[in-house]
Amino acid sequence: MKNITTLILFFFVSCGVGFAQEDLLKMLETGSPVKREPVLAMFKTNKLINIHTNETVRKNNLDVRISHLFGNMGQESGGGIHNLYGIDQSADIRIGFHYGITDHLMIGVSRAKRNEDLEGLIKYKILNQTTDNAVPVSISAFTNIAYSIKESSDFITNTYRFSYCSQLIFARKFTSRFSVVVLPTFIHRNFVSADDENNTFSLSGGFRLKFTPSASVIVDYSHTFGRPDLVLPHYDVVGVGIEVETGGHVFTVMFSNASGILENDYLVNTMDSWSKGGFKLSFNISRMFKIGGADAEPGK
Amino acid sequence: MIIFKLKPGYNKGIPKNNEKTLLLIIFICFSRGVFAQELFSVSKGLVTFYSHAPIEDITAENKQPGSMINMTTRDIAVIIPIRNFKFAKELMQEHFNEKYMESEKYPMASFKGIITDDVDISKDGEVQATAKGIISIHGVEKEMTLTGTMKRTGNSISLISDFKIAIKDFNITVPKLLFENIAEVIDVHVALDYKPFQKSNSTK
């Protein structure tokens, strides 16, 4: 008899206890469905070293980008101590303005010194990787038109001054610290020398590895298929750099053998080789401004 | 208490006792049902934080906190999805998620505690309540005592609490080379409205 009572008591108590210990936090966590959110900040900015990332500038934001590519560092490629390893030279300078029409659509204009190009560009985010991996990669499309205002007898008609670059950009953020980007490129140049080709295909890849919340190592590589040896052989483009984000600014310091900063140029004209000291110090400053569109009032 | 009432039946043989046991079980089951009504969950909530720094004041709001209170055990739990904090500047929001809170790794902030039993929270009216428990932010757990106002009006409870968070305590570091100015101590304001918990629309 007593046993039964004990059992009942035990049952009652265990019921009560079982209920009291029902973990409210667990209930809340299981009650809230896994949210599908776009993965944020796959890259700090819309370019890595030489190549584009999948990122665009947000709506109503203006990214002012100043890129400087010094001269070759190695003696063999025209550098050396006499010009402070290329610091005295500027192989290329690009000043660009990239503006977000929407969070997915970016337009921009730029000037690149080397080929005396004026560039107009569009980048569109087609897909964004999601936190639940339902969309495993981000895809963006990029295209530009460059118009050279160089004084040259080569440009018999104005159409010769145009070149076009189109890219499909695939990116994935593997961990919060590590993101990868891969992009095929098609370039068409209206004017090329007799033994060159108008259409070229390239494949580029790069990654970012964050070593602090604000600083990353960035690397990118580009190979262009079937480049003929012109005056000099063409080399693959390799860039290695450090990127530091300071809230509104992104500073990048890097080394690269790229001939210039514009895709339309370096993907087809890189004749400097790392092994011959043909790499250059380069830096980029990106400053984000909010233009138009009132600050979203939180909670309204 | 029920058990005491059953005590006289001890000497009256097993069959009767079984009957009563059954009754008891039914009663317990029933009473569990009653207890379930003592669970309250958030119907509307707002979490705001303020960072006051010399150069810039930063505010962010989150309208999707989840919370439950067990009126019987006085247990309280709150979860706050980090991604749902909205800032005036989207870039700031991105940095908040990516650099400071690392919301991919730590998507939720939470509090789990017990409302201390020096006030009666079962009756209508307004009381100053204290909850002791563990707060978890950015993967760091810390014991904390939060104070606030609890107001019960019939079937709804509203809770308001203000407290301060020292970001250092939660392993959140602000790089020295930074143009965003972030306060070392953040003011947090929580306002939660509760309704009786129903399984079907448990959390928003």
Side-chain angles (χ1 to χ4, degrees):
Chain A
M1 236 59 80
K2 227 174 189 174
N3 279 348
I4 291 169
T5 318
T6 319
L7 200 72
I8 292 166
L9 230 158
F10 178 74
F11 182 68
F12 182 74
V13 168
S14 66
C15 273
V17 168
F19 183 69
Q21 284 191 339
E22 200 156 30
D23 195 328
L24 294 182
L25 206 55
K26 285 237 168 68
M27 281 176 81
L28 283 170
E29 276 162 4
T30 50
S32 60
V34 182
K35 285 234 181 79
R36 178 174 301 174
E37 302 271 10
V39 170
L40 275 179
M42 301 184 64
F43 292 94
K44 289 281 188 193
T45 171
N46 50 81
K47 278 192 97 172
L48 207 55
I49 295 175
N50 296 305
I51 69 177
H52 273 275
T53 67
N54 69 304
E55 298 286 351
T56 60
V57 178
R58 283 167 202 281
K59 187 180 180 182
N60 294 327
N61 279 249
L62 177 70
D63 184 12
V64 177
R65 306 180 62 87
I66 299 167
S67 313
H68 194 111
L69 190 62
F70 290 102
N72 284 333
M73 298 191 88
Q75 189 103 40
E76 205 181 330
S77 298
I81 184 70
H82 74 96
N83 63 1
L84 276 184
Y85 302 99
I87 296 281
D88 290 350
Q89 299 169 314
S90 64
D92 201 0
I93 299 166
R94 178 179 181 269
I95 298 173
F97 300 89
H98 298 181
Y99 183 75
I101 306 255
T102 72
D103 285 344
H104 297 273
L105 178 65
M106 175 179 100
I107 57 165
V109 289
S110 84
R111 161 67 169 178
K113 171 205 158 195
R114 200 177 101 100
N115 225 10
E116 300 182 21
D117 279 319
L118 297 173
E119 181 202 21
L121 64 91
I122 296 181
K123 197 198 276 187
Y124 183 72
K125 265 191 185 177
I126 300 166
L127 270 183
N128 205 121
Q129 186 185 339
T130 56
T131 47
D132 65 350
N133 258 327
V135 181
V137 289
S138 289
I139 303 176
S140 298
F142 166 84
T143 187
N144 78 6
I145 299 174
Y147 180 82
S148 175
I149 51 175
K150 203 191 279 185
E151 287 181 347
S152 163
S153 56
D154 289 339
F155 300 131
I156 300 159
T157 69
N158 266 342
T159 47
Y160 277 26
R161 296 175 180 275
F162 284 101
S163 63
Y164 313 87
C165 166
S166 301
Q167 302 182 318
L168 205 53
I169 304 164
F170 300 87
R172 177 164 167 86
K173 192 173 186 178
F174 284 93
T175 72
S176 58
R177 288 170 179 273
F178 185 63
S179 308
V180 169
V181 58
V182 173
L183 51 98
T185 305
F186 170 69
I187 289 175
H188 176 84
R189 291 173 295 159
N190 281 355
F191 173 79
V192 290
S193 57
D195 43 3
D196 203 346
E197 289 177 31
N198 292 94
N199 297 329
T200 54
F201 290 94
S202 311
L203 188 65
S204 307
F207 67 83
R208 172 191 81 168
L209 182 65
K210 270 172 36 172
F211 58 90
T212 78
S214 310
S216 319
V217 173
I218 49 176
V219 173
D220 65 25
Y221 171 86
S222 299
H223 175 77
T224 301
F225 298 98
R227 289 303 292 148
D229 285 353
L230 300 169
V231 190
L232 292 163
H234 179 88
Y235 289 96
D236 288 348
V237 182
V238 177
V240 179
I242 300 249
E243 182 184 68
V244 181
E245 181 266 312
T246 61
H249 296 78
V250 180
F251 299 103
T252 317
V253 178
M254 58 244 175
F255 296 98
S256 162
N257 66 322
S259 58
I261 298 168
L262 224 55
E263 285 73 14
N264 313 38
D265 180 7
Y266 74 80
L267 283 174
V268 285
N269 291 327
T270 294
M271 286 152 190
D272 296 321
S273 153
W274 274 81
S275 61
K276 293 175 187 161
F279 53 90
K280 309 154 182 77
L281 176 68
S282 173
F283 69 82
N284 182 73
I285 297 167
S286 151
R287 167 69 194 168
M288 202 66 79
F289 296 95
K290 184 142 189 181
I291 308 272
D295 279 0
E297 280 284 318
K300 276 177 195 164
Chain B
M1 265 159 273
I2 320 307
I3 288 170
F4 295 131
K5 278 191 180 173
L6 283 173
K7 263 185 180 169
Y10 275 172
N11 303 325
K12 290 184 182 169
I14 294 161
K16 208 163 191 184
N17 225 322
N18 270 355
E19 225 167 69
K20 283 185 177 165
T21 311
L22 193 68
L23 260 171
L24 184 67
I25 290 166
I26 290 166
F27 185 82
I28 288 165
C29 290
F30 175 69
S31 55
R32 267 176 68 88
V34 171
F35 281 149
Q37 290 306 309
E38 295 299 301
L39 276 183
F40 279 75
S41 71
V42 159
S43 59
K44 210 176 101 196
L46 178 67
V47 179
T48 320
F49 75 73
Y50 309 89
S51 153
H52 301 289
I55 294 178
E56 195 170 21
D57 284 349
I58 300 168
T59 306
E61 284 192 354
N62 190 328
K63 287 182 170 170
Q64 276 150 307
S67 178
M68 285 184 106
I69 299 178
N70 183 331
M71 299 304 283
T72 315
T73 61
R74 305 172 79 92
D75 276 319
I76 178 165
V78 184
I79 57 169
I80 301 165
I82 300 300
R83 272 294 285 260
N84 294 335
F85 276 104
K86 302 290 176 211
F87 291 67
K89 289 184 178 143
E90 301 92 336
L91 192 64
M92 221 173 248
Q93 189 169 319
E94 180 176 308
H95 292 160
F96 169 78
N97 278 286
E98 194 210 0
K99 285 165 60 181
Y100 304 117
M101 301 301 287
E102 299 179 82
S103 63
E104 278 169 16
K105 244 194 268 177
Y106 314 109
M108 299 280 184
S110 68
F111 177 76
K112 185 186 171 187
I114 290 176
I115 299 163
T116 51
D117 52 9
D118 48 358
V119 289
D120 188 356
I121 53 171
S122 58
K123 287 191 302 205
D124 276 17
E126 195 174 310
V127 289
Q128 292 292 318
T130 304
K132 277 185 185 164
I134 290 176
I135 195 162
S136 164
I137 300 172
H138 190 231
V140 178
E141 293 194 340
K142 199 170 173 276
E143 242 174 78
M144 253 181 114
T145 303
L146 306 178
T147 54
T149 313
M150 265 183 105
K151 190 176 166 189
R152 178 155 188 175
T153 333
N155 249 349
S156 54
I157 300 170
S158 72
L159 190 154
I160 292 172
S161 176
D162 288 276
F163 53 94
K164 289 178 190 299
I165 295 286
I167 60 171
K168 236 182 17 214
D169 292 350
F170 295 94
N171 212 4
I172 300 166
T173 48
V174 176
K176 287 191 187 74
L177 185 74
L178 196 74
F179 299 117
E180 278 166 355
N181 228 344
I182 295 164
E184 287 176 3
V185 177
I186 308 287
D187 294 322
V188 184
H189 174 80
V190 180
L192 303 168
D193 290 334
Y194 296 84
K195 293 270 182 220
F197 175 67
Q198 283 160 332
K199 270 242 153 76
S200 50
N201 57 352
S202 52
T203 42
K204 296 195 299 175

